[in-house]
Each structure stands twice: as structure tokens, then as C-alpha cells.
Amino acid sequence: MELRDLYRDVILDHNRHPRNFGRLDPANAYAEGHNPLCGDRLTLSVRLVGDRIEDIRFEGKGCAISTASASLMSEAVKGKDRAAVRQLFESVHALLTQQDALAGPELGKLAALSGVREFPARVKCASLCWHTLNAALESDGGTVTTEVPDEVPSGPARKMAGEP
Amino acid sequence: MAAPAREAAAPAPAPAPVPAPAPVLDVERVRKDFPILSRTVHGRPLVYLDSAASAQCPRPVMRAVEDYCMQSHANVHRGVHLLSQEATAAYEGARDRVRRFLNARSTREILFVRGTTEAINLVAQSYARPRFGPGDEILITGLEHHANIVPWQMVRDQTGCSLAVAPIDRRGELPLNEFFKRLTPRTRLVAVAHVSNALGTILPVEEIVSAAHARGIPVLIDGAQAVSHRAVDVRALDCDFYAFSGHKLYGPTGIGVLYGREALLAEMPPWQGGGDMILTVTFERTTYNELPWKFEAGTPNMSGAVGLAAAIDYVEGLGLDAIGAHEQRLLEEATAELQRIAGLTIIGTAAHKASVISFTLEGIHPHDLGTILDSEGVAVRTGHHCAMPVMEFFGVPATARASFACYNTREEVHRLSAALHRAREVFR
């Protein structure tokens, strides 16, 4: 377990200078994410044109991992359609939870999150924004939480049940 | 715990008071009793600063539990065979050990429960729920643990009574004038922490009890964070209920105690029904057992009770005064050291504190701090400490919390501050 694997320069940079931070106006999809273990809250606002994410912003207070993960995600999903976002989510999820998962080229800068899986207590910090994005794209507009999968409003977000 | 400053100068003719020798703890010897302290974490010697969440177990406690399991285990109160008699003697002996620990009048006032949480829920459901209704009020404080908030909200929703909260100030103290203002003719019960788990504040429970009793209001004290730091005498406190958990007193998990004034317990209906809490059962009616068994439905946690009694023997063997004095020295040292770290803010700066320091470090989220400290072998609690209203009051989502126990050392305080400097470097 190497601390530098978790707090890579890319992560520290995105924590210090989060990209796409704030509230998007106008936007047509929203969701709030909540990690009750650490009290972190994250709000996503998304502008969808048809099936494609034209723009996305996030706001909230969180740890370095959750802030950097949301910042990296916001860059990665901009311009992608729902199916591509879902594919990316699958890759990130595998990266965060599977010891042998390799960071494919599709991940780009998101590969910096690969160190998180060595820190099981921190996986939820990194995945919160992705579950929140899923909820926003499902347009429930509710709050997703990293806990109590049964209370999660949208289908895809239930995938977090398999996480440590 | 901090004792109030005493006036030193006596009038000239009187004999000079002989200062009591400061109680001393041989920490290196104490540490040998706790096998877990010699393990490593991520390749470094463990520095365990999370005893406020759960204290480690010394060998005598493990041995007592093992002896019980290897020699005397059977169900209690049920058999004429020897093992059942021995198990009953061990379990009821543990109850008397707890009675002496708290200086309660009678073992009828000592109920074994799972922990502080269950103790408070028992009082909520068995004392408050049948009595309270619209217009009645339960008074708590702004620094309570969720276990001393949620059970009362449940009673509020069940009965229509209301819940009043006496505010704390920016130091994390309870201004008594604000508290007294909220003791009204509507107040039916006061429920307060003895020591705040998130802030370390020691509450002036003596004043709270006497003010409440002057108005005929009973008082429950949540002692989860107090019993490991100082001797508690429920008769001197004159409280009506006192709750604590075994695992915060170096005992096993899953065992705790509710002390209740006998006159109140006698009037209360049983909380749970089942075996052991009855005298006779027919399909038409049941007569309940005597105190304390009326409140202990089902097979109790005998090995836990035996372990708790051993834990009480252990802390009283070391001396709670000696433990408290040792922890105060660590608290002072750690407070001074942490205050020197740039950007570090201590949350909870009451004049009288137990050995708990909650803090934030500017620019580093407590969750990240927890991970970095862990990588250095230093175990602290991070999060809201089951006291979300306290976090909200101080405007932080979470804090890191270091808590010091009888086995912690000055060296470990230095390891904590070194690890915090390391966190600064990682986030430079």
C-alpha cells in the first residue's frame, strides 16, 4: 500500500483545481450524491442535447479523492452519449474494484484512480460521482447515497451494491 | 479529566495541607497487557488513538472470558446442574461487580444490555413512551451522540411529546443558563451526555441533576465516554439512569449497563418479552420476574458480563485517578503540539475535557487525513462521530479525532504530529 499510488499528481491537481466546478445554467438533468459515512455531498448539473452530454458541472465539498474523481469524470464524459458514459462507468467501476483490472486506453486520465482499489475504505469516495451521474441521466433527480442500495432511486446506481 | 483548580494557600495557622501524591501509571507495563498494541500496521508500529470509538482489550479480560467458556458455560437461571449454577454465579457476580463500580444501592438497579444505545432505547420505550404525550418535553443538549437523540425522536413520534435542545457554545461547552431556561413545567425528562464523544467536553452533570431534581424532573446520563476516565458514583451524582458500554471500558463488545433508580424501574413495564423475564406464563397471562431480570428477556450475554467485570477489576486495579491523570497529561501535550501545526483547528476547546481531540487541517479533508495517518500506522477516527448536529454546529462535514487511553504514550503523541506533518507534505 503506497500512499503515492492514491495521491498521484493528477489527483492532487484536480483536487486543488477542480475542473467544471459550479452549477450549470441552463441545465436539464440534476442529481445529488451523498456519502453518509463522511458527510460528503455532491451536486451534478448536466445539459443533455438529445442523448449527448453537452456540458456538466459539479459542486459540493468532499475529500481529495471524491473531488478529483468528479473533476476527472466531468472532463471525460463531456460530449459523450449515454451508451458511451455507461461503458466508461463500467471501466471505471472495474478499475476501482477489481485487483486485476487493467486501465485501458479509453480511460485516459481516469487511469490515475487505479490506486484507489488498494484502499478499500476509499472506493466509495471515488465512485460517488459516477453513481450520481447515473442518477442524473436516469432523470430521477433524487439523492443517491453510497449506502442502503435499496433506497437508491435509479436502476444502474444499484450496481454499487457489489462494492466493498 | 481536568479537576477544577484548587486554592493552594491555606490560612497561616492551619497545618499546611499535604498534597496527595500524583497518581502514576506505569504505561510500559500497562501496554504489555494489551497484545494488539504490539502489532504493526502497514509496516509501522500501531499507534491506536481511537479508544473513544472502542478501547482495546487487556489480557485479563480475554482470560476471564476464556475461563468462563472453558470451565463454566451453560445457560443461567435455568438448571440445577453444576455448570448452570457456576454460570449463574459468574453472571450475577458480574452484576454485583458493576454495582460496586457505580456504587449503586442494589443489584436490582443494574441491568445488563447490549450497550449504551440499547440502554437509552430501553428507557425511551419503557419509561418515556408509556408516560409522555402532547405537551410533554424531553430535554437534551446540542452535543449529544445520535444514540441520545434518535431514541427520543422515536418516542416523540410515538407519543406526540416534543424534544427540546439546549444549545452549546463555540467552545463546545454547555452554558448552564441556556440549559436552565429550558427546564420548564413541560419538561418530563432530561437526557445528557456525561462526556461528549465528538468534542471531549465534560458536562457539569452534578449541576444539571440538582437543577432538574429541584423541579422534580428525572435525569438520564449517557456515560459511554465517561466511565473509562473517572470514577462514577451514581449515588453521589443522584442521577436516575446511567448508561455505559463495556467495550469503551476495555471490555468486550455486546455488553453494557443501564443503572436505574429502583423506584423508577419497578414502575416501568418490561421492554422485551421472552424467557427469563417471567415468573409464570399461561396463554391467558404472564407474571413478570423481579428486578433486574424483568428487563432481561432471553439468554443474556454471560461471557460479556464476565469480561466486563474483569475490565472493571482491571481499571480499578490501575486506578481510575491514575488513568485520568495520565490521559490529562497526554491531552495537554497533544493539544500543545497540535496547536503548533499551521492550519490545524481544534474543534471543542472546553475548559474541562476528557482525552479527546477533534480537529481539522486546512486544505485536507478529514477522510484524506485518516488515510494518510493510517499509512503511518496511526489510527484515528474520521467522520461525523455519530454526532451530525455537532458537525453542523461547527460548520464542518467531519473532523479527525484522536482519543487517548491508559495505554497511550507521549511517543505516540509525537507520532501523531509527525504523521500530520507528513499529510501536509503529501498535499503540498
Side-chain angles (χ1 to χ4, degrees), chain B residues 90-404:
Chain B
Y91 181 63
E92 295 303 330
R95 195 191 307 277
D96 191 56
R97 187 68 190 87
V98 173
R99 181 198 64 75
R100 282 186 283 134
F101 179 61
L102 294 177
N103 193 31
R105 283 178 190 80
S106 158
T107 49
R108 290 189 296 278
E109 301 182 312
I110 304 297
L111 315 184
F112 281 123
V113 289
R114 273 192 299 139
T116 308
T117 298
E118 189 171 76
I120 297 174
N121 275 278
L122 191 159
V123 176
Q125 291 302 311
S126 184
Y127 179 81
R129 188 179 181 183
R131 281 176 178 73
F132 299 174
D136 293 332
E137 211 162 77
I138 299 164
L139 177 60
I140 62 173
T141 80
L143 53 63
E144 301 305 325
H145 185 283
H146 296 164
N148 201 28
I149 302 173
V150 183
W152 309 119
Q153 290 175 332
M154 290 164 67
V155 167
R156 177 195 63 194
D157 297 344
Q158 286 157 344
T159 68
C161 74
S162 53
L163 185 60
V165 183
I168 54 172
D169 64 20
R170 298 306 298 177
R171 288 184 302 177
E173 291 186 341
L174 179 73
L176 279 176
N177 58 334
E178 290 292 333
F179 182 84
F180 293 155
K181 256 194 261 173
R182 285 164 179 80
L183 286 175
T184 72
R186 292 155 49 98
T187 314
R188 298 285 307 276
L189 179 71
V190 168
V192 295
H194 196 165
V195 171
S196 156
N197 74 308
L199 303 169
T201 314
I202 301 170
L203 270 73
V205 285
E206 293 84 356
E207 284 97 322
I208 288 171
V209 171
S210 64
H213 281 185
R215 295 163 178 81
I217 306 163
V219 179
L220 173 142
I221 299 175
D222 166 359
Q225 293 293 333
V227 287
S228 63
H229 306 297
R230 65 171 358 171
V232 169
D233 180 332
V234 291
R235 268 193 272 182
L237 279 177
D238 199 31
C239 58
D240 302 276
F241 298 102
Y242 196 97
F244 72 92
S245 301
H247 72 102
K248 293 197 199 309
L249 187 64
Y250 311 101
T253 56
I255 187 76
V257 170
L258 174 66
Y259 158 82
R261 197 186 287 281
E262 185 172 351
L264 296 181
L265 291 179
E267 294 292 310
M268 288 158 56
W271 180 36
Q272 293 175 329
D276 224 24
M277 53 76 73
I278 51 85
L279 291 176
T280 61
V281 176
T282 66
F283 285 116
E284 288 70 40
R285 56 170 298 167
T286 291
T287 51
Y288 301 129
N289 204 338
E290 312 267 313
L291 287 175
W293 307 290
K294 180 173 87 173
F295 289 101
E296 294 180 3
T299 297
N301 182 357
M302 292 88 78
S303 65
V306 166
L308 174 57
I312 291 171
D313 284 341
Y314 185 79
V315 292
E316 291 197 339
L318 296 181
L320 276 159
D321 285 351
I323 293 173
H326 170 69
E327 291 171 344
Q328 280 301 313
R329 283 191 288 273
L330 293 178
L331 175 67
E332 283 165 27
E333 186 137 350
T335 303
E337 243 182 75
L338 263 52
Q339 275 170 341
R340 283 199 291 272
I341 297 174
L344 190 142
T345 305
I346 293 177
I347 310 282
T349 50
H352 299 289
K353 275 180 71 174
S355 49
V356 167
I357 305 183
S358 256
F359 59 92
T360 58
L361 193 50
E362 198 180 6
I364 309 181
H365 190 281
H367 224 140
D368 295 310
L369 263 186
T371 295
I372 297 168
L373 266 52
D374 180 56
S375 76
E376 297 288 316
V378 179
V380 298
R381 169 88 189 262
T382 57
H384 52 63
H385 315 293
C386 295
M388 285 181 174
V390 173
M391 300 295 113
E392 198 179 331
F393 176 78
F394 285 98
V396 293
T399 70
R401 181 190 69 186
S403 50
F404 303 95

Side-chain angles (χ1 to χ4, degrees), chain A residues 71-127:
Chain A
S71 173
L72 288 163
M73 179 189 80
S74 69
E75 286 189 332
V77 300
K78 216 182 273 190
K80 288 200 164 60
D81 63 19
R82 277 192 168 91
V85 169
R86 193 153 299 135
Q87 259 180 5
L88 200 53
F89 172 80
E90 299 292 341
S91 302
V92 171
H93 194 259
L95 187 74
L96 292 175
T97 56
Q98 291 167 23
Q99 282 304 324
D100 51 353
L102 295 172
E106 78 283 2
L107 283 171
K109 275 197 270 180
L110 289 165
L113 291 167
S114 67
V116 175
R117 66 182 174 215
E118 302 297 330
F119 297 79
R122 306 304 301 276
V123 170
K124 285 174 178 175
C125 307
S127 62

Side-chain angles (χ1 to χ4, degrees), chain B residues 47-67:
Chain B
V47 176
Y48 189 73
L49 302 181
D50 198 18
S51 300
S54 199
Q56 298 297 346
C57 238
R59 276 186 210 278
V61 170
M62 300 179 201
R63 212 175 292 132
V65 173
E66 190 182 7
D67 286 352

